Amino acid sequence: MAELVPVLIGGQWKAAKASGDFRAINPQTRSPLPGVYPVSSLEDVNESISQAARAAELLAATASEKIGEFLKRYAERVEKRRDEIVQTAFEETGLPKDPRLSSVELPRTTGQLRQAARAVRDRSWTLPTIDTTNGIRSCFGPLGGGVVVFGPNNFPFAFNSIAGGDFAAAIAAGNPVIAKANTGHPGTTRLLAEEAIGAVKETGLPDATVQLLYRTDHQVGEKLVSHKLIAATGYTGARQAGLTLKRAADQAGKPIYLELSSINPVVMLPGALKERRGEIVNEFVISCLMGTGQFCTNPGLVVVMAGSESEEFISEVKNRFDAAPLGTLLSSGVLDNLTQGVAALLNDGAEIVSGGKLGGGEGFSYDNTLLRVSGKRFLANPEGLQREAFGNVSLLVMVEDDSQLLEVLRCLEGNLTGTIYSGAREDESLYRQVEPILRRKVGRLLNDRMPTGVAVSPAMNHGGPYPATGHPGFTAVGLPASIRRFAMMECYDNVREHRLPPELRDKNPGGKLWRLIDGGWTQDDCVG
């Protein structure tokens, strides 16, 4: 039996108490990659939880500047090891090294870490609130236990369990993280973990501030998220697995933040296609096929008014889909789920416009696929026809009139995004009917732009109503808002000033911080 890659527990790389093992698969060659990784037993999980609980106590007494320095140094260390990390991610995911991994996703990841570091120093994420009349003051602070982070397969850096947005947010709030690697890219996650623990030791944070397990079975995973010493969980991935974890966490009274699935409806009003059909065709094809469609913001459902202009749009998209090269899917599991998803959509009444079968691309591949269904058929089975087919697939819903369009939108599930393309003049009245319905269905509303890109901005909402996420009030992208998922509200009643957190004191040297004092926002002195 091959020697297993060690896990990271309590600041040390050690042999796992394994219940099994697995290997990563190169999706372009369908061949196993070097390295045999452990499936951790409950013994590994319990040890990491205990270590995280002790680290949480130590972090509570650690100056925030030190946590911010860790995040900054971690970003620097990742950049110094860029070539090896990018190469490993390429082998494990098949995603292009450049520009995708090296020039786009890795800079986004280190940028998130640096934004988190600035948020730690700024402290505005704590929302300090002061009621001088009653002597009551409150702010957000760390949860007081380990935060478990599950990363997805499609973003090996930006959503990685030990480097991505959930990780950065949990650390910025002052919590230790137990990272559960995605089994699609364990080698990438290990390289990132090596730099994370290096930055921990370099900056003097508690050894168990970052820990890494590669895989658990389902029952052990449920025990991980529901353990009495676990503070919260962040999960990005498939709906069924996420909801299984949610049931376990909910039963134990533990917060869990889920990003599950989304078909991201795009509504194309008639005036838009009349004015700039060619531009919209180009934008849609690029968005749908980018990364072989493996984005949670991929435009998976497009609502179009039936008519000659729409038929021209469909014809042009079909030609582009047929001519476009086939990308590589992330894994055999993604290919299987995509195949099953398309079959289910066809069984529920969709028709093939283009593609619809296993493709002839490199490795795990599927034809670029465009489906269509009438608005009437959609309304007869809206649940089945909203099934997510994760990959290079999109479904067109052809509605007969304005009334049917609005009925289709009323049937939509919650999504991360919703887009409205409209003309410069003639669509304004219809837009005003569409927008209020779609607005309540999505976390982010777009006009005249495909939803694929997700800017790391303080104003971003990468969330939405169920089943896009497990809670509509939180975002997985955008600091400082994403930090507050992993924080608790701390209230101080008649506590002596020198015992208060710095941002709640009346007089503090240092930088500026917005505080809510007696019902009004003011920028006051505080410790920076």
Side-chain angles (χ1 to χ4, degrees), residues 237-321:
R239 185 190 301 190
Q240 184 175 353
L243 292 180
T244 298
L245 293 175
K246 187 177 189 302
R247 283 191 290 271
D250 286 348
Q251 189 171 9
K254 297 296 179 180
I256 182 167
Y257 301 98
L258 308 169
E259 186 194 325
L260 298 172
S261 62
S262 187
I263 56 174
N264 306 295
V266 176
V267 181
M268 294 186 181
L269 301 185
L273 291 181
K274 289 180 183 177
E275 290 178 6
R276 54 188 193 283
R277 187 183 68 234
E279 294 177 18
I280 297 174
V281 167
N282 189 56
E283 292 172 16
F284 172 67
V285 170
I286 289 173
S287 181
C288 191
L289 302 186
M290 181 189 303
T292 322
Q294 296 168 112
F295 290 89
C296 52
T297 51
N298 189 53
L301 185 142
V302 181
V303 186
V304 184
M305 201 76 71
S308 59
E309 200 71 45
S310 298
E311 293 301 327
E312 288 292 331
F313 170 81
I314 294 170
S315 177
E316 291 179 30
V317 171
K318 170 182 166 48
N319 291 337
R320 292 282 299 275
F321 269 43

Side-chain angles (χ1 to χ4, degrees), residues 28-367:
Q28 295 177 306
T29 64
R30 303 191 184 205
S31 301
L33 289 163
V36 181
Y37 295 86
V39 178
S40 281
S41 66
L42 187 59
E43 189 174 350
D44 276 350
V45 165
N46 286 336
E47 184 182 358
S48 66
I49 291 171
S50 297
Q51 291 282 353
R54 287 193 285 272
E57 294 179 358
L58 296 172
L59 282 170
T62 299
S64 59
E65 291 86 351
K66 186 175 285 190
I67 297 173
E69 182 62 21
F70 158 74
L71 290 162
K72 176 175 172 289
R73 289 294 303 124
Y74 183 22
E76 293 169 351
R77 292 177 68 104
V78 168
E79 287 169 342
K80 289 181 180 178
R81 206 171 178 183
R82 173 193 298 266
D83 291 346
E84 184 181 2
I85 292 172
V86 166
Q87 178 63 30
T88 302
F90 167 67
E91 293 171 359
E92 292 184 327
T93 68
L95 296 171
K97 285 192 284 187
D98 206 32
R100 167 65 192 270
L101 292 172
S102 183
S103 299
V104 177
E105 192 178 337
L106 192 138
R108 171 180 168 174
T109 305
T110 55
Q112 285 176 160
L113 293 169
R114 289 188 171 96
Q115 285 190 30
R118 288 194 292 272
V120 169
R121 293 191 294 270
D122 175 70
R123 305 295 293 165
S124 60
W125 70 269
T126 65
L127 289 181
T129 306
I130 299 171
D131 177 355
T132 59
T133 301
N134 294 300
I136 299 174
R137 299 161 190 246
S138 67
C139 64
F140 283 92
L143 289 171
V147 170
V148 183
V149 177
F150 291 77
N153 59 0
N154 59 333
F155 279 89
F157 304 153
F159 284 84
N160 193 288
S161 58
I162 205 160
D166 282 357
F167 170 86
I171 293 288
N175 306 292
V177 166
I178 300 172
K180 208 294 292 178
N182 187 281
T183 54
H185 43 75
T188 303
T189 305
R190 185 191 182 189
L191 295 181
L192 292 168
E194 289 174 358
E195 298 313 309
I197 193 62
V200 162
K201 295 183 182 299
E202 187 177 337
T203 54
L205 290 185
D207 284 346
T209 298
V210 296
Q211 299 182 90
L212 173 63
L213 306 175
Y214 295 102
R215 188 172 183 171
T216 66
D217 66 31
H218 294 311
Q219 289 184 335
V220 172
E222 291 174 43
K223 291 179 179 178
L224 171 60
V225 302
S226 61
H227 194 282
K228 64 181 180 180
L229 295 180
I230 285 298
T233 297
Y235 170 92
T236 304
R239 185 190 301 190
Q240 184 175 353
L243 292 180
T244 298
L245 293 175
K246 187 177 189 302
R247 283 191 290 271
D250 286 348
Q251 189 171 9
K254 297 296 179 180
I256 182 167
Y257 301 98
L258 308 169
E259 186 194 325
L260 298 172
S261 62
S262 187
I263 56 174
N264 306 295
V266 176
V267 181
M268 294 186 181
L269 301 185
L273 291 181
K274 289 180 183 177
E275 290 178 6
R276 54 188 193 283
R277 187 183 68 234
E279 294 177 18
I280 297 174
V281 167
N282 189 56
E283 292 172 16
F284 172 67
V285 170
I286 289 173
S287 181
C288 191
L289 302 186
M290 181 189 303
T292 322
Q294 296 168 112
F295 290 89
C296 52
T297 51
N298 189 53
L301 185 142
V302 181
V303 186
V304 184
M305 201 76 71
S308 59
E309 200 71 45
S310 298
E311 293 301 327
E312 288 292 331
F313 170 81
I314 294 170
S315 177
E316 291 179 30
V317 171
K318 170 182 166 48
N319 291 337
R320 292 282 299 275
F321 269 43
D322 291 343
L326 298 180
T328 300
L329 296 167
L330 290 161
S331 68
S332 61
V334 172
L335 177 59
D336 290 344
N337 289 334
L338 180 57
T339 304
Q340 293 167 18
V342 171
L345 290 170
L346 294 174
N347 185 64
D348 287 331
E351 300 173 352
I352 294 174
V353 176
S354 176
K357 61 184 184 299
L358 292 173
E362 188 175 28
F364 302 118
S365 64
Y366 194 87
D367 276 356

